[in-house]
Amino acid sequence: MKAKKSFIWLGILLLATIWILVRKNNIPYNSINGLVFGTIYNITYQYDGDLKPEIEAELKRFDASLSPFNDTSVISRVNRNEDIITDSFFQTCFNRSMEISKETDGAFDITIAPLANAWGFGFKQGAFPDSMMVDSLLQITDYRRVKLVDGKVVKEDPRIMLSCSAVAKGYSVDVVAHLLDSKGIQNYMIDIGGEIVAKGKNSRNGLWRIGINKPIDDSLSVNQEIQTILELTDVGLATSGNYRNFYYKDGKKYAHTIDPRTGYPVQHNILSATVIAKDCMTADALATAFMVMGLKEAEAFANANPAIDACFIYSGENGEFKTFFTEGMKKYISR
């Protein structure tokens, strides 16, 4: 009799397992898109419901914290030296930025805002700076001169201003990923302006396929020619490059990546840096740091840090595109 009952319970358990698996396989993949932070987002996720309103509400809260283009945001108020206690979005972004600044010896620095504004790549329109102005602005560009104490930003000089534009977009992808995780969603891909978090499998039960664009000068973002396709999951990915945000003055190209250590736009032969890390905020910040470092320093840093993988596209002696992959990055390349 006991054996018969055990057999019945085993049958029930088997049927329940089959039902769960069938139901899980029948859950549809949804794709949503829209505009945020002046760029396009595309999100695909496996879930029986429309999460666009919740996702956009979360991104709106994020914007109210870290957008320097929003006059009422937390970071804008910090830049005006208002006496406020910052929110959790700001604090998380600030603390991780300080860590990465130390790791990269200042190649990444969120106090770059006054210099970025002066060169015309910031949240305020600036005039083309001369060497005296650059030297002056370098006096207030140093991550070591600002800190967070009990939720408040403390500056050594009130002229210091912060810009998280080189890290916040990646962090926003992590924020959306956290929201999807909280819903129990196991399969999704989030793309906000080219910064990505991929988890689980795509709708064909395969890895997520991500293309890296050729770094062709394209200020209108018309060219979408692919250099390399990666297949990945459970990681964050970000790309930084000087082929979309730039201008020419007196026949010379000035790109948006400013070296916080010199005060000038970088002039390296590295054209784009793609980084894979455990989270998109880290990948975003390091991609920017690598563009500042240049090829040789960036290769050395990437090779010495097994927690990340990187791909650099750079210009050869004859102007041809050349690539560098860390050993770990090679496993993501689609065959």
Side-chain angles (χ1 to χ4, degrees):
M1 190 69 179
K2 283 185 177 181
K4 186 176 180 181
K5 286 184 177 180
S6 297
F7 182 77
I8 292 172
W9 279 112
L10 183 62
I12 292 173
L13 181 61
L14 181 61
L15 288 172
T17 301
I18 293 172
W19 180 83
I20 291 171
L21 290 173
V22 169
R23 185 179 183 279
K24 182 178 179 181
N25 289 334
N26 287 333
I27 296 175
Y29 277 76
N30 294 289
S31 292
I32 61 172
N33 57 71
L35 297 174
V36 67
F37 315 140
T39 190
I40 298 170
Y41 75 81
N42 291 282
I43 303 173
T44 299
Y45 57 93
Q46 187 182 28
Y47 185 72
D48 193 9
D50 181 11
L51 294 176
K52 186 171 184 177
E54 284 187 64
I55 289 171
E56 292 199 334
E58 189 74 347
L59 291 173
K60 186 176 181 180
R61 286 191 288 272
F62 187 89
D63 182 87
S65 175
L66 288 167
S67 173
F69 299 98
N70 182 342
D71 286 339
T72 63
S73 70
V74 172
I75 196 168
S76 293
R77 296 179 66 190
V78 166
N79 285 338
R80 292 195 297 266
N81 297 312
E82 294 183 21
D83 184 22
I84 64 166
I85 295 177
T86 57
D87 65 351
S88 61
F89 285 142
F90 181 94
Q91 291 172 27
T92 298
C93 189
F94 182 94
N95 289 331
R96 185 65 183 122
S97 294
M98 291 298 109
E99 292 171 353
I100 293 174
S101 293
K102 292 175 184 176
E103 293 169 9
T104 61
D105 293 326
F108 176 82
D109 193 327
I110 61 171
T111 66
I112 195 72
L115 279 165
N117 288 339
W119 286 104
F121 297 111
F123 51 86
K124 291 185 178 181
Q125 189 62 42
F128 193 81
D130 57 22
S131 60
M132 288 184 63
M133 179 180 287
V134 170
D135 289 343
S136 175
L137 294 176
L138 278 173
Q139 303 305 309
I140 55 172
T141 305
D142 191 335
Y143 71 94
R144 293 165 296 190
R145 300 188 66 190
V146 62
K147 57 186 177 180
L148 203 56
V149 180
D150 297 328
K152 293 186 177 183
V153 174
V154 179
K155 307 175 185 177
E156 289 186 10
D157 189 312
R159 296 174 299 166
I160 293 173
M161 290 194 296
L162 309 180
S163 173
C164 295
S165 61
V167 65
K169 192 164 58 172
Y171 179 30
S172 72
V173 180
D174 292 330
V175 167
V176 175
H178 179 72
L179 174 62
L180 299 187
D181 288 340
S182 73
K183 302 286 186 181
I185 300 174
Q186 298 178 4
N187 302 304
Y188 58 75
M189 192 276 289
I190 305 158
D191 177 350
I192 300 181
E195 321 299 23
I196 291 166
V197 165
K199 183 177 180 181
K201 299 292 183 67
N202 62 26
S203 60
R204 297 177 299 279
N205 201 38
L207 298 177
W208 297 95
R209 290 169 58 85
I210 310 297
I212 300 176
N213 288 341
K214 284 188 175 180
I216 299 170
D217 283 358
D218 179 28
S219 61
L220 298 178
S221 299
V222 173
N223 181 73
Q224 298 294 330
E225 193 173 351
I226 300 299
Q227 174 79 21
T228 303
I229 295 177
L230 306 177
E231 294 185 332
L232 45 78
T233 188
D234 300 335
V235 293
L237 176 146
T239 297
S240 182
N242 286 326
Y243 53 97
R244 290 208 170 133
N245 193 358
F246 61 89
Y247 62 81
Y248 284 92
K249 182 177 175 63
D250 299 328
K252 185 176 181 180
K253 179 182 176 182
Y254 292 88
H256 81 286
T257 303
I258 311 297
D259 189 335
R261 304 167 297 186
T262 67
Y264 289 87
V266 298
Q267 298 290 332
H268 304 308
N269 67 332
I270 184 170
L271 302 173
S272 74
T274 297
V275 179
I276 291 177
K278 60 182 177 60
D279 60 86
C280 197
M281 176 163 51
T282 296
D284 196 7
L286 287 178
T288 298
F290 291 153
M291 293 299 300
V292 170
M293 291 177 184
L295 186 62
K296 187 174 180 179
E297 188 181 350
E299 283 185 12
F301 186 101
N303 284 329
N305 287 269
I308 64 166
D309 289 303
C311 165
F312 306 133
I313 303 176
Y314 61 98
S315 177
E317 292 181 1
N318 298 317
E320 74 279 17
F321 288 151
K322 304 188 77 172
T323 56
F324 163 84
F325 296 91
T326 58
E327 283 302 313
M329 191 72 160
K330 294 176 183 178
K331 68 177 179 288
Y332 297 109
I333 299 174
S334 178
R335 304 300 179 187

